[in-house]
Amino acid sequence: LEIYVTILNLNDNVPVFSQQNLTVVVPEDTKVNAIIIAREDVSASDADMDTIYYELTTLTGTDGYFAIQGVNNPSIYLQKALDFEKFNATTLALYARDRPVGSSEETNTGTATITVQIQQADTKSPWFIPCSFINTDKSICINSGYTGTVNIYEKPTGPLILQPGPIYAVDPDYLINEKIVYSIVGGNPDQLFSVDADTGNLTMNREATSLDSYSLQVMATQVNNIQKYAVARVEIKVVGKNDHPPYFETKIYYGTVSVNLVPRSFVFQSGNLEAPLQITAADEDFTDV
């Protein structure tokens, strides 16, 4: 008597990941659709030899940035551009099931936890300070420019005093903090002004000889990448020297008027009805006037 016994495979094994806890570092400037975790690093195995169905969820409220390539392909790719200022780490949960989601059959599920750390990249150009953010995610900051005055026929010995402060730019990728250098790229045809490449201090090469205004364009450039730059406007006005307040040449003036004069009639000097009364002031800043 021959008896044939068929062994039926019982679904009694849970899919197992080779790494149940995985940490990856992803540069901030990673291209969208790039694979950040290869299939072989996040695939699960099932002793029951069942087809495995995968599902990826986010545990820390950063939905939409990462996805798997397919229900049977657990490769994880970047779905949306990263921004280090928005978040620098997130946690993902990858589920492996031996039945499709929603199946009425008994299903076994394995889980892998994936920690993604975002590495800041050199993605932003310098910002002149102070500046104002023009968008809600604070990724663009615009400087309103600098202003200053200089006296005609005088050459200041130190850096010019500007408002709202000295020329200064920063690398908004603050963990990288690339070195920044400064240069004047416009508005200085006669080379009257110079800017210190390292500090941004603005100085004069010689005295100004006319009451002009200068609109300088100062550029701040990252040393490692000349394509990362910003330009600020610096308005300098040449004015007459003004160290002294004006003063009246006489403390008290005496005048004489006649009764019944029509409006806009002259007031005459006291004791001299032929000389109109003149009130004059002087200013020691204008001795030649």
Side-chain angles (χ1 to χ4, degrees), residues 60 62 66 84 86-91 115-118:
T60 53
T62 52
F66 304 97
F84 185 84
K86 289 184 177 179
F87 68 94
N88 53 35
T90 187
T91 303
T115 300
V116 180
Q117 297 178 349
I118 311 303

Side-chain angles (χ1 to χ4, degrees), residues 125-190:
S125 298
W127 292 345
F128 279 98
I129 302 299
C131 63
S132 301
F133 292 107
I134 63 172
N135 55 348
T136 55
D137 60 2
K138 297 185 177 180
S139 60
I140 301 175
C141 201
I142 301 298
N143 172 267
S144 298
Y146 304 88
T147 60
T149 59
V150 295
N151 291 330
I152 192 170
Y153 304 123
E154 287 187 359
K155 179 180 178 294
T157 57
L160 301 186
I161 298 175
L162 303 176
Q163 298 297 330
I167 298 172
Y168 180 60
V170 299
D171 181 1
D173 300 310
Y174 57 90
L175 293 182
I176 299 174
N177 195 27
E178 288 291 349
K179 178 178 174 58
I180 293 173
V181 293
Y182 304 88
S183 60
I184 298 176
V185 295
N188 192 30
D190 51 2

Side-chain angles (χ1 to χ4, degrees), residues 65-142:
Y65 285 91
F66 304 97
I68 56 175
Q69 289 197 309
V71 68
N72 300 122
N73 182 355
S75 296
I76 299 176
Y77 70 96
L78 184 63
Q79 192 170 235
K80 187 167 69 173
L82 297 170
D83 187 342
F84 185 84
E85 277 66 40
K86 289 184 177 179
F87 68 94
N88 53 35
T90 187
T91 303
L92 310 176
L94 181 62
Y95 301 101
R97 299 183 176 91
D98 54 14
R99 296 291 185 273
V101 175
S103 173
S104 59
E105 299 182 48
E106 181 181 352
T107 303
N108 296 309
T109 303
T111 304
T113 301
I114 303 167
T115 300
V116 180
Q117 297 178 349
I118 311 303
Q119 182 183 60
Q120 189 174 49
D122 189 12
T123 60
K124 295 182 176 66
S125 298
W127 292 345
F128 279 98
I129 302 299
C131 63
S132 301
F133 292 107
I134 63 172
N135 55 348
T136 55
D137 60 2
K138 297 185 177 180
S139 60
I140 301 175
C141 201
I142 301 298

Side-chain angles (χ1 to χ4, degrees), residues 16-284:
V16 177
F17 288 97
S18 58
Q19 301 182 72
Q20 291 186 335
N21 292 282
L22 180 65
T23 299
V24 295
V25 177
V26 181
E28 180 187 10
D29 57 353
T30 298
K31 301 296 184 183
V32 172
N33 295 324
I35 300 295
I36 64 165
I37 305 179
R39 180 174 186 169
E40 57 268 20
D41 293 329
V42 285
S43 292
S45 59
D46 187 352
D48 296 321
M49 304 301 290
D50 291 322
T51 299
I52 298 179
Y53 302 87
Y54 296 93
E55 180 186 7
L56 184 69
T57 62
T58 303
L59 301 180
T60 53
T62 52
D63 296 333
Y65 285 91
F66 304 97
I68 56 175
Q69 289 197 309
V71 68
N72 300 122
N73 182 355
S75 296
I76 299 176
Y77 70 96
L78 184 63
Q79 192 170 235
K80 187 167 69 173
L82 297 170
D83 187 342
F84 185 84
E85 277 66 40
K86 289 184 177 179
F87 68 94
N88 53 35
T90 187
T91 303
L92 310 176
L94 181 62
Y95 301 101
R97 299 183 176 91
D98 54 14
R99 296 291 185 273
V101 175
S103 173
S104 59
E105 299 182 48
E106 181 181 352
T107 303
N108 296 309
T109 303
T111 304
T113 301
I114 303 167
T115 300
V116 180
Q117 297 178 349
I118 311 303
Q119 182 183 60
Q120 189 174 49
D122 189 12
T123 60
K124 295 182 176 66
S125 298
W127 292 345
F128 279 98
I129 302 299
C131 63
S132 301
F133 292 107
I134 63 172
N135 55 348
T136 55
D137 60 2
K138 297 185 177 180
S139 60
I140 301 175
C141 201
I142 301 298
N143 172 267
S144 298
Y146 304 88
T147 60
T149 59
V150 295
N151 291 330
I152 192 170
Y153 304 123
E154 287 187 359
K155 179 180 178 294
T157 57
L160 301 186
I161 298 175
L162 303 176
Q163 298 297 330
I167 298 172
Y168 180 60
V170 299
D171 181 1
D173 300 310
Y174 57 90
L175 293 182
I176 299 174
N177 195 27
E178 288 291 349
K179 178 178 174 58
I180 293 173
V181 293
Y182 304 88
S183 60
I184 298 176
V185 295
N188 192 30
D190 51 2
Q191 304 301 308
L192 183 63
F193 301 93
S194 293
V195 66
D196 188 283
D198 294 321
T199 66
N201 286 335
L202 188 66
T203 55
M204 295 186 69
N205 296 323
R206 59 185 180 278
E207 63 184 31
T209 57
S210 60
L211 297 174
D212 294 326
S213 293
Y214 295 85
S215 182
L216 308 177
Q217 290 83 52
V218 177
M219 182 169 70
T221 309
Q222 289 186 191
V223 171
N224 70 324
N225 186 353
I226 195 173
Q227 300 300 322
K228 297 281 177 48
Y229 70 91
V231 177
R233 185 181 70 257
V234 183
E235 300 286 346
I236 303 295
K237 186 176 182 180
V238 181
V239 298
K241 186 176 180 181
N242 191 17
D243 291 336
H244 303 89
Y247 61 92
F248 289 104
E249 294 180 330
T250 301
K251 291 184 178 180
I252 302 176
Y253 291 85
Y254 296 95
T256 300
V257 294
S258 301
V259 296
N260 299 323
L261 286 177
V262 298
R264 304 183 68 83
S265 295
F266 283 114
V267 176
F268 293 93
Q269 294 181 13
S270 179
N272 186 355
L273 298 180
E274 295 182 356
L277 178 64
Q278 292 183 331
I279 299 175
T280 57
D283 191 329
E284 292 183 8

